[in-house]
């Protein structure tokens, strides 16, 4: 399958690596990039980065347990390397999980700059009609800045409690606050939701709509979506989906202290306030943790401090915008990894040492090697054997399923033209997924329980998917459904025993997360 990688220089008919980067060419391409709402492109060496360092990073990544979906590296405002692991692609959105928090923080920054409220304002003043009958001393003392710094004072993250109710604001305000606000760090996505609710309360707009003319349009970011709570408020702490280049632009805006082109989009004073140390995360041995952990460098306003004097927004499974002021660099990553710290370790071990203060001589060999690696990035489709002696016998025949919590009634697999169409039906609908045989096939899926998500999947919503299947043996057909607008995939195994079928589901969150359980039971049935 041809790589879906799209670069600005490629669109101009030039290679993104190895271009003779003269001053006039750079200015012309920069102007063209601006007019196309794309970041300007350059070569690593022209911006003082060794191509071999990026190659070493990609090689270390390939040998690791981390599954990258995309990355974009900027130096001095120029994209010097970028790639998408097919079937992921540049034009697709990607779910951000908690990296959404940094965008919510930015919305707060705009609202504060416009004089709509202050970070020292008490929370109870925004929601006088949603307060509990008795306002505790700690609730009375809770301020906007305590939400921003994850120091609400709750004993545990409030998100679970909110999601069990219809009225999230009222639920949040009714939770007991154990500690004095501002004194103890506890990661709390419900706090970010409350920031979103406050912005909507004072502006009359959802955070997504409020940010559009202030952030997204000036940066040329399009196609973004954001989940909402039952009452129509953007979830704030999660739920935003954007393209990889949007993450890179967002990081570059913060690197430039809120300035974009010739405009001060966001006050520089807010950028400084939002990205500097505010509160320390606890650890049994804090001194040791500070040496090795990027989660113990201090928390800001919905941003994290990093080692090497960097800061970042991040989301579950490895969604990153890393800003490195000392190196004048930004790194955007989307991925699914069991160790986000391990991903950052690769950045510090391989990319950081390759960044020099001045431009480097062209290295044609290394630049060509890097270009080849970037163009070949892909997640492998499952492969074992493309067919089975039983494929023609079972093809298209419906299996009646036993009673199951998903309320699915029948299942079938149809093999034709190097593809398999897996289909389940219920009284609510018909749910097909087309799989290539040992190669990716494009489609959509709305099977109950898909796509996998820590925050739950809305029922009946179609998700973009690339799917591939292979025969593990002559009686077992295995599929991988890659939901390429999320970090996740499903592995689905269909076992056949004479006239019986057993369908087993395993989502990728369960595969890499200890303690996380697959919620979908195996489906069993027999030929109708």
């Amino acid at each position: 399958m041809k790589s879906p990688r799209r670069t600005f220089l490629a669109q101009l008919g030039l290679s993104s690596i190895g271009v003779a980067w003269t001053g006039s060419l750079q200015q012309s391409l920069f102007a063209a990039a601006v007019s196309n709402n794309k970041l300007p492109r350059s070569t690593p060496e022209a911006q003082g980065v060794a191509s071999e360092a990026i190659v070493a990073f990609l090689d270390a990544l390939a040998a690791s347990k981390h599954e990258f979906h995309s990355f974009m590296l900027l130096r001095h405002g120029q994209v010097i390397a970028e790639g998408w692991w097919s079937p992921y692609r540049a034009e697709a959105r990607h779910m951000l999980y908690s990296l959404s928090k940094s965008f919510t923080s930015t919305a707060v920054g705009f609202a504060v700059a416009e004089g709509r409220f202050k970070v020292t304002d008490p929370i109870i003043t925004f929601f006088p009609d949603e307060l509990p009958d008795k306002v505790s001393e700690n609730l009375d003392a809770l301020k906007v800045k305590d939400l921003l710094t994850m120091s609400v004072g709750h004993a545990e993250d409030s998100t679970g409690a909110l999601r069990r109710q219809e009225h999230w604001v009222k639920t949040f305000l009714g939770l007991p606050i154990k500690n004095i606000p501002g004194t103890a760090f506890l990661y709390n996505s419900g706090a970010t939701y409350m920031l979103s609710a406050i912005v909507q309360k004072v502006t009359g707009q959802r955070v997504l709509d409020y940010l559009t003319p202030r952030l997204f349009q000036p940066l040329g970011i399009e196609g973004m979506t954001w989940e909402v709570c039952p009452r129509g408020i953007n979830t704030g702490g999660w739920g935003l989906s954007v393209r990889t280049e949007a993450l890179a632009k967002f990081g570059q805006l913060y690197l430039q202290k809120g300035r974009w082109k010739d405009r001060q989009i966001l006050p520089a004073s807010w950028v400084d306030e939002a990205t500097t140390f505010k509160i320390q995360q606890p650890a049994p041995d804090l001194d040791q943790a500070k040496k090795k952990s990027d989660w113990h460098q201090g928390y800001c306003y919905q941003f994290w401090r990093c080692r090497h004097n960097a800061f970042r927004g991040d989301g579950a499974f490895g969604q990153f915008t890393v800003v490195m002021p000392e190196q004048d660099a930004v790194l955007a990553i989307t991925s699914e990894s069991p160790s986000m710290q391990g991903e950052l370790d690769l950045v510090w071990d391989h990319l950081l040492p390759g960044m020099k203060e001045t431009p480097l001589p062209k290295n044609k060999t290394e630049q060509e090697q890097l270009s080849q690696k970037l163009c070949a990035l892909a997640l492998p489709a499952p492969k074992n054997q493309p067919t089975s002696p039983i494929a023609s016998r079972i093809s298209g025949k419906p299996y009646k399923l036993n009673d199951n919590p998903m309320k699915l009634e029948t299942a079938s697999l149809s093999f034709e033209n190097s593809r398999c169409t897996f289909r389940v039906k219920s009284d609510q609908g018909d749910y097909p997924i087309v799989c290539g045989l040992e190669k990716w096939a494009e489609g959509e899926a709305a099977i109950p329980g898909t796509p996998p998500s820590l925050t739950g999947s809305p029922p009946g919503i179609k998700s973009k998917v690339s799917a591939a299947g292979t025969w593990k043996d002559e009686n077992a057909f295995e599929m991988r459904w890659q939901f390429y607008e999320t970090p996740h995939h499903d592995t689905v195994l269909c076992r056949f025993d004479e006239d019986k079928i057993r369908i087993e589901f395993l989502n990728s969150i369960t595969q890499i997360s200890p303690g996380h359980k697959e919620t979908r039971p195996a489906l069993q049935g027999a030929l109708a």
Side-chain angles (χ1 to χ4, degrees), residues 388-459:
S388 162
I390 73 166
S392 59
R393 177 171 62 83
I394 67 171
S395 181
K397 294 184 178 179
Y399 288 81
K400 182 175 175 56
L401 299 174
N402 298 342
D403 290 344
N404 58 84
M406 300 166 71
K407 300 186 183 304
L408 298 173
E409 297 173 349
T410 64
S412 64
L413 290 88
S414 300
F415 296 90
E416 186 179 13
N417 299 328
S418 299
R419 292 189 170 195
C420 170
T421 300
F422 172 86
R423 172 178 268 109
V424 288
K425 296 181 179 181
S426 72
D427 62 359
Q428 298 297 311
D430 179 10
Y431 308 107
I433 289 186
V434 177
C435 300
L437 295 180
E438 302 195 335
K439 59 184 179 182
W440 297 112
E442 300 291 311
E444 292 183 325
I447 293 177
T450 61
S453 173
L454 284 178
T455 56
S457 301

Side-chain angles (χ1 to χ4, degrees), residues 267-281:
S269 58
W270 176 263
V271 172
D272 287 337
E273 186 174 354
T275 61
T276 50
F277 180 98
K278 294 294 182 294
I279 192 167
Q280 180 64 59
Q281 307 91 307

Side-chain angles (χ1 to χ4, degrees), residues 7 9 16-17 21 38-44 47 71-84 245 248:
T7 67
L9 294 179
S16 63
I17 303 295
W21 202 252
K38 297 179 74 69
L39 291 163
R41 267 62 176 175
S42 182
T43 65
Q47 304 305 324
F71 87 106
M72 188 174 282
L73 179 61
L74 281 66
R75 187 85 193 284
H76 307 321
Q78 313 273 328
V79 179
I80 59 171
E82 59 187 317
W84 285 262
E245 187 153 353

Side-chain angles (χ1 to χ4, degrees), residues 229-374:
C229 76
R231 294 207 163 199
I233 299 169
N234 286 133
T235 47
W238 67 93
L240 178 62
S241 293
V242 299
R243 300 183 180 104
T244 307
E245 187 153 353
L247 295 180
K249 290 177 176 179
F250 182 63
Q252 188 65 30
L253 175 70
Y254 269 80
L255 180 64
Q256 295 169 178
K257 301 285 189 181
R259 192 167 185 81
W260 195 256
K261 299 179 185 177
D262 58 349
R263 291 177 54 197
Q264 191 68 39
I265 301 296
L266 187 64
S269 58
W270 176 263
V271 172
D272 287 337
E273 186 174 354
T275 61
T276 50
F277 180 98
K278 294 294 182 294
I279 192 167
Q280 180 64 59
Q281 307 91 307
D285 186 344
L286 187 57
D287 290 338
Q288 189 63 24
K290 285 182 176 181
K291 294 177 183 177
K292 298 182 178 181
S293 170
D294 285 287
W295 274 262
H296 291 87
Q297 306 304 311
Y299 197 71
C300 318
Y301 283 175
Q302 310 285 295
F303 287 88
W304 297 84
R305 295 296 304 174
C306 302
R307 290 175 292 169
H308 307 288
N309 200 31
F311 62 89
R312 72 186 187 280
D314 71 33
F317 305 104
Q319 323 317 313
F320 287 107
T321 296
V322 183
V323 180
M324 298 168 266
E326 291 183 358
Q327 290 75 29
D328 194 24
V330 171
L331 177 63
I333 295 171
T334 63
S335 67
E336 183 174 48
S337 171
S339 172
M340 293 169 66
Q341 182 61 68
E343 292 181 284
L344 289 177
D345 288 343
L346 293 181
V347 174
W348 308 139
D349 291 346
H350 298 286
L351 292 181
L352 208 62
M355 297 182 184
K356 310 302 179 183
E357 293 184 1
T358 58
L360 302 174
K362 282 184 59 177
N363 187 329
K364 184 177 180 180
T365 300
E366 289 294 336
Q367 288 179 350
E368 288 179 350
Q369 183 181 1
L370 175 58
S371 180
Q372 292 170 2
K373 284 184 177 292
L374 292 174

Side-chain angles (χ1 to χ4, degrees), residues 44-55:
E45 277 72 16
Q47 304 305 324
V49 180
S51 290
E52 61 184 339
I54 306 174
V55 170

Side-chain angles (χ1 to χ4, degrees), residues 57-212:
F57 172 72
L58 292 173
D59 287 344
L61 179 59
S64 75
K65 58 189 174 182
H66 312 294
E67 179 184 292
F68 268 38
H69 299 151
S70 71
F71 87 106
M72 188 174 282
L73 179 61
L74 281 66
R75 187 85 193 284
H76 307 321
Q78 313 273 328
V79 179
I80 59 171
E82 59 187 317
W84 285 262
W85 278 254
S86 175
Y88 290 84
R89 69 286 307 266
E91 63 269 22
R93 296 185 298 263
H94 199 283
M95 178 193 294
L96 300 187
Y97 279 117
S98 285
L99 180 45
S100 308
K101 292 178 169 67
S102 300
F103 288 83
T104 301
S105 170
T106 303
V108 172
F110 282 116
V112 168
E114 293 169 4
R116 297 175 183 267
F117 60 85
K118 301 184 293 295
V119 299
T120 53
D121 285 346
I123 300 305
I124 61 173
T125 61
F126 297 100
F127 307 105
D129 298 331
E130 319 300 341
L131 298 175
D133 293 337
K134 182 177 180 181
V135 174
S136 69
E137 186 176 343
N138 283 345
L139 177 58
D140 185 64
L142 184 64
K143 296 179 172 58
V144 172
K145 65 179 181 180
D146 303 321
L147 302 176
L148 287 164
T149 58
M150 298 293 190
S151 58
V152 173
H154 288 156
E156 61 183 22
D157 183 0
S158 61
T159 310
L162 268 56
R163 290 181 60 81
R164 290 190 292 270
Q165 303 295 326
E166 188 271 339
H167 198 325
W168 291 11
V169 168
K170 190 171 184 177
T171 301
F172 183 94
L173 295 171
L175 294 174
I177 299 178
K178 178 182 177 181
N179 301 305
I180 298 172
T183 63
F185 175 87
L186 176 74
Y187 199 73
N188 191 339
S189 294
T192 321
Y193 167 77
M194 291 298 291
L195 293 171
S196 175
I198 289 170
V199 170
Q200 183 162 331
K201 186 67 178 289
V202 301
T203 67
Q205 293 181 293
R206 293 175 179 173
V207 164
L208 180 63
D209 298 323
Y210 179 68
L211 282 177
T212 294

